[in-house]
Amino acid sequence: MGFSRCILLFLLLLHFSFADDATRNDASVRPKSPSCSMEFVSVKVKNWVNGVEGETVVGLTASFGAPVPSQETEALRLPAVMADPFSCCSKSSSKLSNSIALSMRGDCDFTVKAQVAQSGGAAGLLVINNEEDIFRMECSENDTSLEIKIPVVAIPKSEGDIMQKSIGSGRKVELLLYSPKRPVVDFAVVFLWLMAVGTLICACLWADFVACKQTDNYNQLEPPLSGTNSEENTENEVVDINAKGAVIFVIAASAFLLVLYFLMSAWFIWVLIVMFCIGGSQGMLACVVALILRMCRGCGRKTIKLPFLGDVSLLSCFVFPFCVAFAIFWAANQNASYAWIGQDILGISLMINVLQLARLPNIKVASVLLCCAFCYDIFWVFISPLIFHESVMIAVARGDNSGGAAIPMLLRIPRFFDPWGGYDMIGFGDILFPGLLVSFSYRYDKANKKGVLSGYFLWLVFGYGFGLFITYLGLYLMDGHGQPALLYLVPCTLGLTVILGCVRGELKDLWNYGDEPSSNRSDKA
């Protein structure tokens, strides 16, 4: 089995079909307690130490108290004062007037802390959690003392400890609380939609319109198969997916997802990053070499013989180090604000290469694969919480068990127009699985000499784009809760293929296409 096949199988096994934002804040959640009527709203806590602005902290309002301003210009910049006692459960000996009080969590109800801070003249209260998360401060059902007229905000332990140490060392700490509203339309998701649909179209048309057909196999860093011609080499590089393999894959993917869920850690993330860099650099090499050969067909004729690889082109030897350097640079700077660009370039290159190496022979196999993936997505997003008390797929995608580190097997783009920032993202599987079917439709149309409108490719591209639109609409309507994208993409692609096949009387041919002996097949793609 060639190196490309190994990368293909690894990538497919690592697919995670989700359209979830790992950094989206819970901006509006109704509290459970009937005694409180306020919504939980995310808050930005800007802070200054001796006049120097620090990193903005994200907090969450209580289900009681006054709302915070939605505009930064409407908020007041006030000094921060630690309550004494720090629990803020009794009258504070420190002066809280015209300041924002800091309190630790525990020892009394949240409403008691708020009443103590308010009676001391504080303009707001920050409650520091004893754990590294943002908790919800609710009222008890029997609590009737809700005359709280100051905002009450919870913040994580680490940020609270930094503020506490700064105040304890005598430095002046100032805070400003405000809660900007998210835009109604997320424009970043439009660019992500274009990126996903464009990748799918490009991968399907790549072989005919970009890649240059060669009379040798020297444009890859792999040894040519001895005793075979170039056409046979090309066929050997293609992985035909069968129905049995499709079922086994979904079972293996489920097992691997559980392994990630239980064993995910920072070092395990780095293993995935290394494998992603290997596959991404391989895909980038194939794409870059193909583009260069398209512009200069004679560039790949000169070869060099390498140990274990045999004859490879000088062009590949020249391009490969740059691809590896690009992947290493991305891995070393993956937390930088611009890292998403490198990740998307590597990911798109890898997916284009995968869709050149893998193919579905007919709709029968496509139905098995996509229906299994359809059930896989729904189970691990919606049903797994009944067993594991949380969505396994969303937990893995968000990196909940790895300190927030996320897997790199996705395309992402920043929310440029959202004051809360974060990323919109889509898993590779949400492009690869429908892409296998769309790629088959293009090969089928080409082999049967179908026109643009009488064929299937254009309609499936429209179906995929519409399904992806419905996915993000569902994400918006579900207030950012992770959605199984294949729940929408499979009906809009496979379902559309079956409907068109029935209407045109070609469903039987689509279903059994490729099952006849190879000598009678017109599709050699």
Side-chain angles (χ1 to χ4, degrees):
M1 179 177 290
F3 180 73
S4 297
R5 289 192 182 186
C6 295
I7 291 298
L8 164 67
L9 295 177
F10 178 80
L11 172 67
L12 291 179
L13 192 60
L14 279 180
H15 111 277
F16 294 98
S17 298
F18 64 95
D20 177 63
D21 179 13
T23 58
R24 180 166 183 170
N25 298 294
D26 193 6
S28 179
V29 182
R30 287 287 181 183
K32 298 178 181 179
S33 174
S35 303
C36 307
S37 59
M38 297 292 293
E39 292 182 339
F40 294 111
V41 178
S42 296
V43 177
K44 285 193 173 186
V45 182
K46 299 190 70 173
N47 61 92
W48 293 263
V49 179
N50 289 339
V52 179
E53 184 174 353
E55 185 177 352
T56 299
V57 177
V58 176
L60 190 69
T61 60
S63 60
F64 55 90
V68 297
S70 60
Q71 300 293 331
E72 182 179 355
T73 55
E74 300 173 355
L76 297 177
R77 179 173 168 177
L78 300 171
V81 177
M82 290 173 54
D84 188 11
F86 195 37
S87 63
C88 202
C89 292
S90 58
K91 185 177 180 180
S92 176
S93 60
S94 57
K95 186 178 179 181
L96 303 179
S97 180
N98 295 322
S99 66
I100 297 178
L102 266 65
S103 165
M104 62 172 282
R105 180 181 182 179
D107 296 345
C108 62
D109 292 337
F110 296 122
T111 51
V112 173
K113 298 177 186 291
Q115 287 176 328
V116 170
Q118 180 174 282
S119 62
L125 173 65
L126 289 188
V127 180
I128 303 171
N129 193 15
N130 51 13
E131 296 178 357
E132 196 54 38
D133 61 0
I134 301 177
F135 61 97
R136 298 177 183 178
M137 296 184 290
E138 297 181 345
C139 311
S140 62
E141 297 185 5
N142 298 325
D143 195 342
T144 58
S145 51
L146 299 175
E147 297 298 323
I148 308 299
K149 299 180 180 179
I150 62 173
V152 183
V153 178
I155 61 174
K157 182 179 186 300
S158 58
E159 283 82 358
D161 289 344
I162 294 174
M163 295 180 188
Q164 181 184 351
K165 290 179 181 178
S166 298
I167 296 174
S169 61
R171 287 178 285 182
K172 181 181 180 182
V173 177
E174 296 175 293
L175 302 175
L176 184 147
L177 312 179
Y178 73 107
S179 178
K181 295 182 179 179
R182 290 186 180 275
V184 177
V185 179
D186 181 10
F187 292 100
V189 80
V190 177
F191 295 105
L192 186 64
W193 184 92
L194 291 172
M195 189 187 302
V197 176
T199 299
L200 185 142
I201 295 175
C202 184
C204 294
L205 304 181
W206 185 266
D208 286 342
F209 293 93
V210 179
C212 180
K213 292 185 178 180
Q214 299 295 306
T215 58
D216 51 46
N217 195 39
Y218 300 147
N219 62 319
Q220 300 179 19
L221 286 178
E222 293 188 19
L225 298 176
S226 59
T228 58
N229 57 34
S230 60
E231 183 176 349
E232 289 174 339
N233 285 347
T234 302
E235 287 295 322
N236 286 330
E237 282 301 316
V238 173
V239 178
D240 276 309
I241 302 173
N242 54 40
K244 181 180 179 181
V247 175
I248 293 175
F249 162 74
V250 174
I251 296 174
S254 297
F256 197 78
L257 184 63
L258 283 176
V259 171
L260 290 176
Y261 178 71
F262 289 109
L263 300 181
M264 183 69 77
S265 60
W267 70 267
F268 200 91
I269 287 290
W270 270 105
V271 172
L272 300 183
I273 289 174
V274 169
M275 297 303 298
F276 172 70
C277 289
I278 294 174
S281 57
Q282 169 76 5
M284 191 175 180
L285 170 67
C287 292
V288 173
V289 169
L291 289 171
I292 294 176
L293 291 178
R294 181 69 179 179
M295 295 182 289
C296 180
R297 293 179 179 268
C299 295
R301 295 187 180 277
K302 294 183 178 180
T303 64
I304 185 174
K305 193 167 186 177
L306 296 178
F308 306 107
L309 297 178
D311 291 333
V312 297
S313 70
L314 286 175
L315 177 61
S316 296
C317 294
F318 177 77
V319 173
F320 186 66
F322 289 95
C323 297
V324 173
F326 184 90
I328 293 175
F329 179 81
W330 168 81
N333 299 274
Q334 58 181 299
N335 294 322
S337 59
Y338 54 82
W340 64 275
I341 300 175
Q343 180 172 332
D344 289 350
I345 291 175
L346 291 171
I348 290 173
S349 300
L350 183 54
M351 284 188 286
I352 290 176
N353 196 34
V354 166
L355 289 177
Q356 303 308 302
L357 299 175
R359 68 181 183 183
L360 295 173
N362 47 47
I363 297 301
K364 176 171 60 179
V365 177
S367 299
V368 174
L369 177 64
L370 292 180
C371 288
C372 288
F374 177 84
C375 297
Y376 168 90
D377 244 15
I378 293 176
F379 178 84
W380 291 113
V381 173
F382 288 148
I383 302 178
S384 63
L386 301 177
I387 303 173
F388 300 94
H389 307 293
E390 64 177 337
S391 174
V392 172
M393 186 172 291
I394 293 177
V396 172
R398 288 179 173 173
D400 291 349
N401 298 328
S402 58
I407 58 175
M409 313 301 288
L410 46 82
L411 299 182
R412 59 174 184 157
I413 187 170
R415 289 186 174 143
F416 297 106
F417 308 100
D418 192 334
W420 288 101
Y423 293 86
D424 285 313
M425 57 188 78
I426 182 171
F428 285 176
D430 300 333
I431 300 175
L432 288 175
F433 281 94
L436 290 170
L437 176 60
V438 178
S439 179
F440 164 77
S441 70
Y442 175 74
R443 291 186 289 108
Y444 181 86
D445 290 350
K446 180 183 175 183
N448 291 276
K449 297 180 173 57
K450 288 185 171 291
V452 175
L453 295 180
S454 61
Y456 293 85
F457 174 70
L458 180 64
W459 297 108
L460 287 190
V461 170
F462 285 149
Y464 177 80
F466 180 75
L468 198 57
F469 168 77
I470 297 298
T471 301
Y472 282 102
L473 179 62
L475 185 67
Y476 172 78
L477 295 177
M478 294 293 289
D479 196 29
H481 186 276
Q483 295 294 296
L486 294 181
L487 171 64
Y488 310 96
L489 293 174
V490 171
C492 291
T493 52
L494 180 61
L496 180 59
T497 304
V498 173
I499 292 174
L500 287 176
C502 288
V503 172
R504 296 171 177 177
E506 299 173 338
L507 183 59
K508 184 177 180 180
D509 184 47
L510 288 167
W511 187 264
N512 298 309
Y513 188 76
D515 285 348
E516 67 270 18
S518 58
S519 59
N520 297 328
R521 288 174 55 183
S522 60
D523 180 15
K524 296 293 184 182

